[in-house]
Amino acid sequence: MGENSWGYNDEKGNSIIPLGKYKFLNLIDEKGMIYAQKGTKYGYIDIHENIVIPFEYDALGIFSEELAFAKKNNKYGYINRNGEIIIPTQFDNESYFQKTGLALVKKRNLQGFINKKGKEIIPIIYQNAHNTTFDSLVILCKNQKWAFYDSFGKQKTDFIYDEIALTDINLKGIEGDTFWKNGLILVRKNDQTGYLDKNLKEAIPFGKYDSGEKFNQNRIAIISKNHKYGIINEFGKEILKPEYDTLEHPEEDYHESEIFEGKNKNYITLLDKHGNKIYDKIKGYTFDFSRLGNTVKRVYIIRNLKNQCGVVDGEGKVIIPFIYDEIQDFNGTVNTIVKLKKKFGLVNSDNKIVYPIECESITTWKDLDYYIINKNNTVGIIDKNLKSILKFDYQDLSPCFYDKNRFIAKKDNKYGVIDRLGRTIIPFEYSEMSNWVEYGPGSNYHFVIKNNKNGLITKEGKIVIPAIYDSLFYNDDNTIILSKNGKYGVVTIHNKNVIPFEYEKIYSDLAFVPDRNANEFYVLKNGKYFIVDNKNKIIKANLSKKEVEDKFSYLN
């Protein structure tokens, strides 16, 4: 994809279909055809840009059951791979033919089903309709009630259901939906929940449960009775009796996990994707992965009701006993950080202490290949194989946010920057040194303080703004407000003077607004406020002191 256009390259990067010609191109399909958009029209080409289906349609679909919908004059019909119109444009919706040979179509806000010859198999007279990816059944709605039909148009049930649920499924790598291939069919009638089998017979009577959910791909479903929740299998058997106040799939890395979390008033229970208990009566947990033997497996870091932490695997086997105050994530490695009696150490997945639990702190995170260790108030670094990287010669160490192999280090109460081999990059001469600053000048700089004065240096230690100022406020590369000996001025990131140091106060109206240059400055001189431009020329005079100081009160 390029600038509002798509193209094709071969495996060596040579252009086969250049950018700039097609607004959109799809993948090559199994017959060598490429769905394409040119301007406002749609068609199909091959890899040599031969036009297979002319660019004369307002919308086109991909081929399904060898037909694709096509739109002209606000109506939809169907064409074959030769571009021949098989079903004339007459419908109000885009739709695809399913394996049943049917497509759901609409006319005048009514719905029905046609076959690949355009014949109405189920008349277009219904309020609503649904079909699925994998079933031979379809459902239709009349007078706000639903009924089942087969793919030959035969009615299989009366119009008695308030709702018939579809559920997601993956069959042989194909994502789709189904009524019954995950288990029983969830239906609702007269405000009651029930389940049907694939023959549409009542398998779980209406009213047996207060509520129920769809069967998932593991062929189980959550149900409730008397405000308690449990799980049934595809045969309607309770594999977990209704005993929880809530039962749900927890969020894991921004998606819904397959496991279940059951909650009662005083505890949580974890259940695997089949409804089997992983661990019972716990206070809290986190998802994690650990190297167990030669493989990386799912584990859970659990806090029990006694506020002790341990680790269990996906089958509920305890791999680290519940004796620790804290346990941090393994993140797929063999070792993790633990806390016991206010001290930190390292334990592996075999519950062996691999670094003594006697440290004030141990720090790492997912993309670091080392641990920063504070022991006896000195700081050093070991790698993930527990080999020394930096000796315990420092008061503090923090990875530079722009390079995890450089460190802001503190020694003899002064800060500097060193590399992974301990070589000095920036000398130890600053009482403070910034790392990451949200509204700072980027990854090439550090704010520093030396002898109680503020300055700015590069990440290589080159002085940009010398540490001689009483205050330093960075707004953007062209607006750095400085003060010295009670007077304020403005310089650029290159220390070029913008506003001379002659004011008692300077405010920028664009403070904390990134990527916008300040062209106006509120300045105070001889007790009076006025506005100057970036040439120090007065734009507006005699401003109210209260108005200005109220406006910039958040900066004071």
Side-chain angles (χ1 to χ4, degrees), residues 32-34 43-46 49-55 81-83:
M33 296 174 64
I34 302 170
Y44 273 84
I45 61 173
D46 64 19
E49 295 188 77
N50 297 310
I51 295 175
V52 182
I53 294 174
F55 288 88
R81 287 186 177 276
N82 296 321

Side-chain angles (χ1 to χ4, degrees), residues 79 95 219-220 271 294 302 319 362 390 395 422 481 548:
I79 60 175
S95 182
R219 309 185 74 80
I220 56 179
L271 304 110
N294 295 321
I302 290 175
I319 62 174
I362 300 180
L390 289 173
Q395 294 167 279
I481 301 173
V548 175

Side-chain angles (χ1 to χ4, degrees), residues 123-138:
I124 308 172
I125 59 173
Y126 295 96
Q127 293 171 314
N128 207 343
H130 287 300
N131 56 354
T132 70
T133 314
F134 297 110
D135 303 325
S136 59
L137 298 171
V138 299

Side-chain angles (χ1 to χ4, degrees), residues 171-187:
L171 285 179
K172 298 179 180 178
I174 300 174
E175 298 283 347
D177 52 19
T178 179
F179 294 115
W180 60 269
K181 283 185 168 60
N182 278 338
L184 302 176
I185 306 169
L186 171 64
V187 290

Side-chain angles (χ1 to χ4, degrees), residues 26-39:
N26 204 14
L27 300 174
I28 305 173
D29 72 14
E30 68 274 12
K31 298 293 178 67
M33 296 174 64
I34 302 170
Y35 170 85
Q37 180 183 359
K38 198 170 187 179

Side-chain angles (χ1 to χ4, degrees), residues 153-221:
K154 182 178 179 181
Q155 187 172 343
K156 305 298 288 184
T157 70
D158 293 331
F159 285 86
I160 57 175
Y161 300 110
D162 301 317
E163 180 186 351
I164 299 171
L166 285 72
T167 182
D168 297 330
I169 192 171
N170 183 309
L171 285 179
K172 298 179 180 178
I174 300 174
E175 298 283 347
D177 52 19
T178 179
F179 294 115
W180 60 269
K181 283 185 168 60
N182 278 338
L184 302 176
I185 306 169
L186 171 64
V187 290
R188 305 193 202 281
K189 181 173 71 172
N190 302 326
D191 293 325
Q192 292 185 320
T193 296
Y195 289 88
L196 310 179
D197 63 21
K198 65 180 181 179
N199 297 313
L200 308 181
K201 303 298 181 184
E202 198 172 294
I204 297 178
F206 289 90
K208 180 175 180 178
Y209 296 111
D210 300 331
S211 67
E213 295 187 0
K214 299 176 287 189
F215 278 79
N216 64 21
Q217 190 132 342
N218 298 312
R219 309 185 74 80
I220 56 179

Side-chain angles (χ1 to χ4, degrees), residues 365 367-368 370 398-409 415-420 423-427 430 433-437 440-448 456-462:
W365 50 85
D367 62 344
L368 291 185
Y370 51 77
S398 177
C400 294
F401 79 95
Y402 53 79
D403 185 345
K404 65 184 180 181
N405 290 311
R406 288 188 179 187
F407 305 90
I408 295 177
Y415 287 92
V417 173
I418 61 175
D419 65 14
R420 195 179 176 109
R423 295 177 298 199
T424 299
I425 297 170
I426 298 176
Y430 299 102
M433 180 179 289
S434 70
N435 198 342
W436 179 81
V437 180
S443 62
N444 292 317
Y445 302 93
H446 293 282
F447 294 116
V448 291
L456 183 67
I457 63 174
T458 71
K459 65 183 181 182
E460 306 302 332
K462 181 182 177 182

